[in-house]
Amino acid sequence: MSLIAKGILQGMAVTAKNFIQSYYKKERLPTVEYPEEKSTVNQFTRNIPFLVYDGEDEIEGMRCTACKLCEKACPPQCIYIIKDTDENDKPIKRPKVFDIDSSVCMSCQLCVEVCPFESIRMDSEFELSNENRFEGLLINRDELLKSNEYYHEIHPIEAQETDDRIAAKIAEAETKKKAREEKARLAAEAKQAAAAMKAAEEAAAETETSATEQAQQSEAKAEAPEDNPETKNT
Amino acid sequence: MTVAFYIMAAIAVLGAVMAIALRNVVHAVFSVLLFFSALAGLFILLLAEFIAVVQVLVYIGSVGILMLFAIMLTTKVTGDPTRKLLSRGWAWGGLVSGALLLAFLVPLITQSKSESNSQLSNFNPSVKDLGLTLMDPYFASVGVIALLLTAGLIAAVVAASSASGE
Amino acid sequence: MNNFIDYKLIELGQWTVGLFNDYPVVQILVHLLLATLPLTLVFMGAFGFSTWLERKGLARIQNRLGPNRVGIFGLLQPLADGIKMLLKEDIVPDRSDKLFHFLAPVMLMVPAFIAVGFLPLGDGLMALPMDSAILFFFAVGSLNTIAVFMAGWSSRNKYSLLGGMRAVAQMISYEIPLVLSAVAVIMFSGSLNAQEIVASQQIQSWLASGNLVKEFFGQILGWHIFKPWGFAGFIFFFVAALAEANRSPFDLPEADSEIIAGHLTEYSGFKYAIFFMAEYISAFAIAGIATTLFLGGWSGPVIAGLPWFIIKMFSLFAVMIWIRGTLPRLRVDQLMGYAWKFLLPLAILNIFVAGFYYFAEQQFGSLAAFIGGWVIGFGILQTAAKGLSRLNKSPTLDGKRVYQLVE
Amino acid sequence: MNLFNFTDSVGWLMWVPICPLIAGVFLALLKPSGRVSAFVAIAALAVSLILSLKAFAMTWGHEAQIETHNFTWMHIGGVDLEFGMVLNALTGSMLAMVSLIGLLIFIYSWSYMSHDDRMGRFFCYLSIFMVGMLGLVVANSLLLFFMFWEIVGLASYLLIGFWFQKPSAAAAAKKAFITTRIGDLGFLIGLLWAFKATGTFLLFDNGSGILETTQIAALAASENVMFGMNTAGAIALFLFIGAIGKSGQLPLHVWLPDAMEGPTPVSALIHAATMVAAGVFLVARAFPLFIADLAMLEVVAWFGAFTTLFAALVAVGQYDIKRILAYSTVSQLGLMMVGLGAGGLALKEGGISIGMFHLLTHAFFKALLFLGAGSIIHGCNDEQDVRLMGGVFSKMKISSIAYLAGTIALCAFPFTSGYFSKDQILLSAWTASGPIFWISAIASLLTAFYMTRQCCYVFLGKYRGKGHVHESSPIMTVPLVILAVFAVALGYVSEHFYHILDYLSGVHVHQHESIVVIISWIIALGGIGLGLLVYARAKLGIDETDPVKKVFPVPYRWLENRLYADEFYEATAFKLWDVLAILITVLEAIMNQLVDFVTVVVRNIGSFFLNTIDKRVIDEVSFDGTCSRIYNSSQINKLIQNGFLQGYLRLLTGGAVLIGILLIVFTR
Amino acid sequence: MEITLNHYLILSAVLFTIGLIGALTRRHIIIMLVCLEIMLNAANLNLIAFWHFGPNPILLHGPLFTLFTIAIAATEAALGLALVLAIYRHFKTVDLEQVQDLKE
């Protein structure tokens, strides 16, 4: 290296540039003084899971049906679910107790993938520290429940995707029902035409009774799918 | 001035005695360094400023460290109390040198007349004059010393590194 | 306005000494105290400030804020560190040399503070006004080698001994280029006395000329750094000074990634703080000497005297920090090779160039000597440097790296 | 010694011998291949030829003038030995002749020796020989002359023994060397005597040289130094002994015929033209000495006469072509000696020109004859016995014609060069003394006879040897032709156009005696006719007896055995050794007796000394005693030398203290 | 009481003797070299003392001569220690007792 040591000077120039620019250029001083300022967390970060509920009322709008799939799938078994029972203790599709032990959860997101009802998602909240090591870190159902809007807030893209998916499911169910009705109707007409023909030849009378039975069965079938469109999944 | 002289003398003697008395070699060398610094002080008392500086620079700065390096490279310094300190027949060795001091040096000094007044008080020899005399009448000897130092340097390197093979 | 502050301080000093006129013994004591006490306090403060300066500077270089919690801009951070150091438990390894383990930091601090004494802070403002101040500076400088060795040896720890030996070797080999590059200045200014060296860097004729512009530049243009051998000498001196004070690129001994903390491994608590203080103060001392030798000491355009000296000293220290922020650490053999095979020959050559410059100036007057000096002198040094660097070039892999898939 | 100044002094003459010397050294050291060595030798000789011709030209105009260039070679014991070069008619002519013939022979031997793998060595020896010969001619100091004389002797030894693997060649070389050495001994004695008498070696030293008038007068003044001769004569006699050895005169001629063992060019160069001529040249050079004492001239003439007759007789009985020529050379040399001797008696200084003229002409045609013989031998597949040759004329036209030209010149056929020179000799012999004249005449007749005999053997009839005859290459035949021209024309041209006789001796020489002319005609034609008569139609062959032998069987056998010259030596000289041997054994016996007696006496004395002095005094008392004492004492102070460093230091300080105390006590 | 030349002479004599005793008794080679240095320094002290109290100190002979002695002492120390290293490498000990190959 010659006397003026060009290489070293270039290096010094770089550090000097950093030093000076750090005073006026924003990206040169990216430090966020944490306790005072909070830096927005990237939307794809995931920490401990939370339960999503639609609408205003938490308990009612809860998507979770306590199907315990996530409990079984969780590798460190840190989820604990007890099904809820209505007044005359007949089990209803809702968890009474839904606990996640946050000290054990390794945020592997398997529960999210398993949940058929899109009800459990990964939260990006990281300030979970508290004094009590055991009870403190066990998060119960009420703390887990968070609104869909919050979900949209922390994971906008993912939330939007889940909503679209649900809407699509509902729409699909609609179309299927309609198609089935259409088919049933057609079949009935065809049958009637055939029957009419046959009847015309045979005794029109006794076949009427059989025709009316068939019409009743198809209506029963048509009614069944109507009562639970929301909970049905693909 | 007298107080300073006595302090310095005491430190010097102390350093020297400790140097030859201490069992731990490193301690001995450090005490010698103390001895050298005491001597530097004495030189300043004797108004030989430059010599004091050179004493500090050469003796304490390099010879001292050289000895420390030598010790590092050669012996295990502490930790075996059994090691005999004195060579055989140390008694009459000590006796002889003691005799030297008492029988020969001290009488010689005491009986010689000495004029105590030093002309030095009226002028303070500056380094500049020393430099000038070094260059003017004594230039050849400076050259010789330079040669000697280089030869010493090379010889030391060769001697120390010569048997690196084993 | 020149040297106004210096004179004021000297008057103050004389006034205080005057207070004790009727107690001669006490007066001597006061006189001594006057020379040493303010200096120690000032430089202790400077040490504190410099630690803050260093941490903030390094932070800014690395695009981060640096300490800003304690005090307004983190100014009280050094105080916090100090207190922390005091509170920390002072561990001493059991089978170590208790005496020398304790003595090492002291031995390091003493020469640091003495060295500071030799700095010509202002016109007439010198703590220890010696005829051969620079010489004493170097003599004292060589003492801290012993202190480092003592530290390394007494903590009975293989790493610290090794670190100690390395530090000693580094200090010794860099002492020679340091002294040699200073020799060029001393040879030119003709005396070892710091004040005279500073005086030689002021163009006296311009100062006395009376018109403001000339006076303004008279203070600056005389500095040795503007001369070819001066500039080269300054580079060698500064690099050797960095090594001597174990700063940045040469801080191998107590480099964290290397042998833990070198000779400082077994030190903790206040002794560790003292080590650091001694190191920083010797860094200041060397920066001060560098300013006196090359940057014209306290001479400066308007506020000549103490302020300029402090500005220059701190700016040099800032450069040290700056270098610490950029340059990677040197390997041991490169370190030694650089001293012996690069700096030393160039320093000697620099002395010759200075000699020629001196005679050229006598012969053809300062302007022609200045221009010719720069062209020829600097040319010689430049080519010598290139030649030496090519000579010492370690056999690096010059071809393009070839990678092979393992069959 | 300014070699390079070609104008005023004669120093450059030294170049003539030096050039071949350089070539010789070059060939000896670098041993180049055959062709290169030949080329180098020839080039060097060419340079000396040019210089010789320049010298010859310089002397041509003014014969009497002598230019010398002398320098001191060495200064020993207060005497400085001078060397020098002389340039007078004699030198000029000899230089020209030697270098010209030498060059032709060099060229000839280039092809002749081309198949021999040691050609480089051959040319090296030839160059050394030329150095000797040319140097000898130029030398002005007798010492230098003697040195070159030895070089020539050495060269002849080397060249004769060139094919050292042939035992006969080696023996011949030794024989040549020893016999010439005996002659050189005489020369050396003469040389030393001359030096003692005159104080200098230089022949011509502007007045003080040996051959200058003042010295000659001084030398001639002394009376009856030896056999009634004055010192000049005595010195001349010893010099003549040297000449006898070198030129192969009667007593010391035995080596010349055996010298034919060497290759033919060697014989041509050395044993025909130059070396043997050296003896004659010596006599010519030192002629003033000979003239100073007429008895010497008688001796020279008579020696010459006997040699020429003897050699001519023996030549008749020889069958080997080269031996015939060798004996003819011996006889011709004898003739030259006669020329010198008789010439001296008749014409004082003029004698030189007569002897030298014949030498010059003889050199050319004898060289021609030898080269011709060489090419014939080469042609007949290396066959040397004339009885196995024959019919060569038809096969080898050029060499035969050249050979015939040489023969007629040798036989002194009218108007050939031989005729003119031999005629002069016979004229001077006639005026000098009758018997010498008649002996020389008979010898010349015999010469013509055996030459024609040889020609008939070789040229007439059909080829009796094995294989077929083939003409030699042009490189060999061209020199032959040149020499032939010289052999024939030289005599006439030089006598009538250039008055060579006056030139050679510097004195006007003119002899005319009609009877001698007639006799010489008779001799020449008679000899040839007699030869043809006997041999032309005779049956010649290996198994046939020689026609002359048929007529005189017994004497012819004598001739065949070379008149028992070798056997004579055998009987006398070698016997000499046996006598010596006996003498020595007797002496030795006596000596042994003496030695035994002395040893006994000494032993007794020795034993006396041994037991008394040596054992008791030296061993016990002085030597061993002290040793043991020293040893014991050293044991004590060995204790100090125990390698214990600090012990030494303590002793040191103890000593210092002691000195200190003494100092204080005594200087109080 | 005024410091006179004798004080210095006695001091240097004492120091010299201490060095000598060390040199003569201690077994450790390096300590011997140390003592050697002590002796040399004592001599230097003597030199400067004589110069200081000498007739005309202006000539600066004292310091000059001491400079040379210091230079030589430094070289000697360097060489001595280099030799000690060589001895250690050969004898594997620094104890003078065992370094006795020169023993007859």
Side-chain angles (χ1 to χ4, degrees), chain D residues 100 112 134 153 173 201 225 300 312 341 364 370 381 387 471 539 577:
Chain D
L100 182 65
Y112 184 85
L134 292 171
F201 281 114
V225 165
V300 166
F364 280 107
F370 264 101
N381 322 96
R387 286 167 299 183
E471 177 54 282
K539 282 201 302 313
W577 293 118

Side-chain angles (χ1 to χ4, degrees), chain D residues 254-287:
Chain D
V254 284
W255 64 274
L256 198 63
D258 298 340
M260 292 308 122
E261 290 300 324
T264 316
V266 168
S267 328
L269 177 66
I270 297 179
H271 303 118
T274 47
M275 193 184 103
V276 286
V280 174
F281 177 76
L282 170 60
V283 173
R285 174 65 86 192
F287 211 63

Side-chain angles (χ1 to χ4, degrees), chain C residues 393 395-403:
Chain C
K393 205 149 77 67
T396 54
L397 197 68
D398 39 18
K400 203 168 80 52
R401 279 183 193 279
V402 173
Y403 296 100

Side-chain angles (χ1 to χ4, degrees), chain D residues 355-404:
Chain D
M356 284 309 293
F357 183 39
H358 185 60
L359 183 140
L360 289 176
T361 51
H362 171 269
F364 280 107
F365 56 72
K366 191 45 73 62
L368 167 63
L369 284 174
F370 264 101
L371 292 189
S375 81
I376 291 166
I377 293 165
H378 199 66
C380 308
N381 322 96
D382 293 344
E383 175 51 58
Q384 292 206 345
D385 194 329
V386 279
R387 286 167 299 183
L388 290 173
M389 295 186 191
V392 166
F393 190 80
S394 54
K395 302 283 183 332
M396 299 173 64
K397 275 284 178 295
I398 305 167
S399 345
S400 315
I401 291 163
Y403 195 85
L404 279 176

